[in-house]
Amino acid sequence: MTKRILMKGNEVIAEAAIRAGCRYYFGYPITPQTEIMHYMALTMNKAGGTFVQAESEVAAINMVYGASAAGGRTMTSSSSPGISLKQEGFSYIAGAELPAVVVNIVRAGPGLGGILPAQGDYFQATKGGGHGDYRNIVIAPASIQELYEMTVEAFNLADEYRMLVMILGDGTLGQMMEPVLFRDEEPIVESTKEWALTGHKGRDHNTIQSIYINPDELEAKNNELQAKYRAIEVKETRFEALDTEDAEIVIVAFGTCSRICRNVIRQARDQGVKVGMIRPITLWPYPTEVLSELAKSDTLKAFLDVELNAGQMIEDVKLAVNGAKPVYFHGRTGGNLPSQKEILDLIMNIHKEVNQ
Amino acid sequence: MAIVFEKTKGLTDKPFHYCPGCTHGIIHRIIAEVLCEQDILENTIGVSSVGCTYNNYEYFACDMVQAAHGRAPAVATGVKRVHPGNTVFTYQGDGDLASIGMAEIVHAAARGENITVFFVNNAVYGMTSGQMAPTSLLGQVTTTSPFGRDSAVQGYPINVSEMLATLTGAKYIERVMISDFKNIQAAKRAVAKAFRVQKQGLGFSMVEFLSTCPTNWGKSPVESIDWLKQNMVPQYPIGVFKGKDLEV
């Protein structure tokens, strides 16, 4: 297929998952991600897979746990309140080292909140959410084309590292339509999954669990997990750097928010203020190093962190910058998006302030 | 010398950790024996749950996965959807299945999920030291109903088998008791039938075992069996609640 197709973000995620070899999808309705379910209900059987509408998000993530333990490529999707319910399952998946892909089309919170786009689940996605010491790989696409490519990649990463990979989108990405160009063949990396439960004919029986009553065994397991996470930090950190070489002000923004900021860069430069942007693509592992390096630059005067929340990723930005430069923040909540103008005005003010 | 008796190959050599007089060991053994007798051990995938039997993945000599509290039927659903040709069972207690996992068990049955559930009802939370379960009897003293379960405060026991039997997707449901040789043999026949129902793809099957917990009941093993017969059976009558006429 070489023609661009106009498709809705949520449907692209579902199509990408099927193309990536996902054959077991378990979901529960919640706005604004429900089209993923609709698409799966329509197409999964034809693809030779299984779609189950679970009785709850809790059940859905545990079906994923079971399907993954059985060696299947599996996924669930939800939106913020539903993702909260799945956190128990995330922790078990991490403990049992099972591959799984989870999509969070974030809506505004807290509580039942609203159904409009937000990035208020950054903490939950990147810092835990469930109990215990664990990490999930968190990928933040910013376009429909990226939703497609990164969803496919998420399945490979999940299998490679035997862990949960989250696609962190938002209501805008899920609901909007953009052209998408599908590949003729997907870069699926097959893994053998000798650990999977298939019935033990011809081998010793396998067990999958996350419980270690002996403290030394549990600590050893934790050390193993941490070593895996450190390796991922080195190998899988992704970001996009835009016009940062000569920038006085570097914006840090991800997902939908980065698209608004991208336009502001040009407008600011037209007015003589050199602005660049770092767009984290993986939110965990976080592109700490590039921000630390930039913070050392003499040309760079300040960072501006822009998010669709009250200030969450800014903690990671500040850790990376480590006091070397001021870090400003602009955020909108409730499902509102910042306008280009409000970001541009802020940049002009920051520019004045840092050059005084 | 002729071998007259052997431990079933369906169990590993790991010694059980269960308390003296607890009937989990007997239930494990009859399930394992049936898996061997039906020659399905090698294609079976079991799901352990949370409670006293959290680690029975170490006892059953087949592929096993340990599930979060109450979620075993959802986990089994995931496993079975990937391997519809394999035998899949869950092993759950009354706190796990009838309290925190009530939604999962009801919906697995409603979907007619082709799995077998072994539900062990001893009217108490065992592992966490004797709290009131949804299946605790009226008047039963537990660590969280120290003056006896009072219906005005703590409501009434849940008869899970009867309730699930109302669902079309549930094809075979039987309650048995682990009290004496005759009843243990009947329990084994129920386990065998449940696995045959699954093998024939008929849908959801469940065996509920009335079981003892001498430690948390504060009774000797012998007293416990008597208590089970005198107190549990009137509330939880044994018998087939669904699929009595199923010929499998």
Side-chain angles (χ1 to χ4, degrees):
Chain A
M1 221 183 296
T2 47
K3 234 172 56 186
R4 283 177 181 273
I5 306 169
L6 190 64
M7 270 179 90
K8 198 175 205 176
N10 283 335
E11 293 177 346
V12 166
I13 292 169
E15 174 64 24
I18 291 171
R19 283 167 170 268
C22 171
R23 290 295 175 270
Y24 307 96
Y25 172 85
F26 307 93
Y28 184 85
I30 182 169
T31 308
Q33 65 78 47
T34 314
E35 293 87 354
I36 299 176
M37 283 187 87
H38 297 172
Y39 198 92
M40 288 297 194
L42 269 173
T43 51
M44 196 45 120
N45 281 359
K46 268 186 272 175
T50 295
F51 160 79
V52 178
Q53 179 166 335
E55 60 270 27
S56 67
E57 282 96 348
V58 175
I61 191 67
N62 282 284
M63 289 174 188
V64 164
Y65 178 92
S68 182
R73 268 203 161 179
T74 178
M75 176 175 115
T76 184
S77 62
S78 191
S79 178
S80 310
I83 293 292
S84 294
L85 284 169
K86 291 183 195 287
Q87 297 296 327
E88 177 202 45
F90 291 5
S91 177
Y92 277 73
I93 284 169
E97 292 197 88
L98 291 173
V101 173
V102 175
V103 177
N104 183 3
I105 299 299
V106 181
R107 57 189 255 182
L112 201 49
I115 58 170
L116 291 173
Q119 296 177 331
D121 296 0
Y122 179 90
F123 280 154
Q124 188 194 53
T126 61
K127 310 292 179 198
H131 54 285
D133 278 315
Y134 74 94
R135 292 290 190 180
N136 296 325
I137 294 176
V138 182
I139 306 177
S143 69
I144 305 297
Q145 185 68 32
E146 281 192 354
L147 274 183
Y148 157 52
E149 288 170 16
M150 291 175 184
T151 301
V152 172
E153 196 182 359
F155 283 94
N156 286 340
L157 286 170
D159 276 0
E160 181 178 352
Y161 294 107
R162 287 183 61 178
M163 66 189 286
L164 192 151
V165 180
M166 177 181 277
I167 299 288
L168 192 77
D170 62 64
T172 309
L173 280 170
Q175 293 297 319
M176 75 180 182
M177 295 178 90
E178 259 183 356
V180 57
L181 185 65
F182 290 113
R183 291 172 286 231
D184 289 333
E185 206 174 316
E186 300 302 337
I188 296 173
V189 182
E190 299 286 354
S191 66
T192 48
K193 300 191 178 178
E194 280 117 359
W195 46 265
L197 309 181
T198 56
H200 73 282
K201 197 173 174 64
R203 59 164 167 78
D204 284 344
H205 52 267
N206 284 341
T207 58
I208 288 175
Q209 34 70 244
S210 61
I211 182 165
Y212 299 86
I213 289 290
N214 177 314
D216 293 332
E217 279 180 33
L218 184 53
E219 188 166 50
K221 183 75 204 172
N222 269 290
N223 291 341
E224 225 177 85
L225 287 175
Q226 293 302 318
K228 174 167 86 175
Y229 299 152
R230 295 297 85 79
I232 292 168
E233 283 172 339
V234 172
K235 260 187 86 181
E236 308 296 349
T237 304
R238 280 160 226 192
F239 63 89
E240 181 191 3
L242 207 70
D243 297 334
T244 52
E245 298 80 8
D246 62 343
E248 292 172 76
I249 297 170
V250 163
I251 298 172
V252 189
F254 68 93
T256 291
C257 203
S258 71
R259 293 171 65 120
I260 302 166
C261 296
R262 188 181 292 265
N263 294 338
V264 176
I265 296 173
R266 225 174 302 128
Q267 293 164 11
R269 284 184 177 258
D270 285 348
Q271 296 187 34
V273 181
K274 288 179 180 149
V275 174
M277 180 167 74
I278 294 293
R279 169 171 79 99
I281 293 171
T282 52
L283 301 182
W284 191 88
Y286 195 74
T288 304
E289 218 171 282
V290 65
L291 291 173
S292 303
E293 284 306 310
L294 276 172
K296 291 178 194 156
S297 138
D298 292 334
T299 20
L300 191 133
K301 299 283 193 317
F303 290 91
L304 169 61
D305 174 82
V306 187
E307 301 180 63
L308 305 182
N309 58 43
Q312 298 193 13
M313 181 176 71
I314 190 170
E315 294 190 0
D316 289 323
V317 177
K318 282 185 168 172
L319 278 172
V321 171
N322 201 16
K325 295 286 157 63
V327 181
Y328 292 83
F329 174 71
H330 186 62
R332 296 295 302 269
T333 62
N336 286 315
L337 301 175
S339 69
Q340 292 177 28
K341 183 168 183 313
E342 70 191 64
I343 299 170
L344 185 63
D345 288 350
L346 185 62
I347 284 172
M348 291 306 163
N349 285 339
I350 294 168
H351 179 67
K352 254 185 251 164
E353 208 171 301
V354 294
N355 283 299
Q356 258 167 14
Chain B
M1 206 190 298
I3 295 169
V4 291
F5 179 79
E6 266 187 316
K7 185 174 75 66
T8 170
K9 290 190 168 55
L11 293 173
T12 65
D13 290 334
K14 179 139 181 137
F16 290 150
H17 70 284
Y18 303 119
C19 302
C22 165
T23 51
H24 272 308
I26 297 170
I27 300 167
H28 283 33
R29 182 172 139 192
I30 60 177
I31 292 169
E33 284 176 354
V34 171
L35 288 173
C36 290
E37 285 162 19
Q38 294 189 4
D39 198 20
I40 52 175
L41 183 71
E42 287 192 330
N43 92 352
T44 294
I45 302 167
V47 185
S48 310
S49 57
V50 170
C52 291
T53 62
Y54 77 93
N55 68 335
N56 65 10
Y57 56 82
E58 295 182 300
Y59 304 146
F60 287 108
C62 58
D63 278 6
M64 294 289 293
V65 53
Q66 202 282 328
H69 200 20
R71 318 301 177 213
V75 172
T77 298
V79 172
K80 187 72 178 184
R81 296 298 178 121
V82 176
H83 299 303
N86 287 55
T87 304
V88 176
F89 75 88
T90 74
Y91 191 111
Q92 304 174 258
D94 41 43
D96 190 89
L97 181 142
S99 190
I100 197 166
M102 189 57 109
E104 283 77 7
I105 192 66
V106 168
H107 285 275
R111 283 192 304 271
E113 212 62 61
N114 193 30
I115 59 172
T116 300
V117 171
F118 297 120
F119 169 38
V120 180
N121 177 2
N122 58 11
V124 79
Y125 281 78
M127 189 61 147
T128 47
S129 68
Q131 293 81 13
M132 185 184 71
T135 49
S136 292
L137 304 175
L138 288 181
Q140 188 179 339
V141 173
T142 72
T143 50
T144 52
S145 57
F147 311 108
R149 183 174 187 169
D150 175 0
S151 62
V153 182
Q154 289 134 335
Y156 299 88
I158 300 177
N159 284 46
V160 175
S161 286
E162 288 87 334
M163 193 173 77
L164 293 184
T166 64
L167 299 170
T168 311
K171 297 304 178 189
Y172 172 62
I173 293 182
E174 178 163 359
R175 182 183 291 126
V176 296
M177 60 177 174
I178 305 299
S179 53
D180 49 66
F181 177 76
K182 189 170 153 246
N183 278 290
I184 292 167
Q185 289 308 106
K188 190 173 168 182
R189 283 194 296 275
V191 170
K193 185 168 176 181
F195 278 136
R196 286 198 301 271
V197 166
Q198 182 179 166
K199 195 169 191 182
Q200 295 186 19
L202 300 180
F204 182 87
S205 55
M206 184 178 91
V207 180
E208 175 179 346
F209 303 86
L210 300 185
S211 173
T212 59
C213 184
T215 300
N216 287 302
W217 291 358
K219 293 178 169 49
S220 74
V222 174
E223 288 166 352
S224 294
I225 298 281
D226 289 340
W227 192 86
L228 182 155
K229 287 184 193 161
Q230 284 160 21
N231 297 280
M232 288 185 75
V233 175
Q235 173 70 37
Y236 303 114
I238 61 168
V240 181
F241 295 92
K242 195 71 179 281
K244 193 167 187 147
D245 302 325
L246 268 185
E247 289 188 19
V248 289

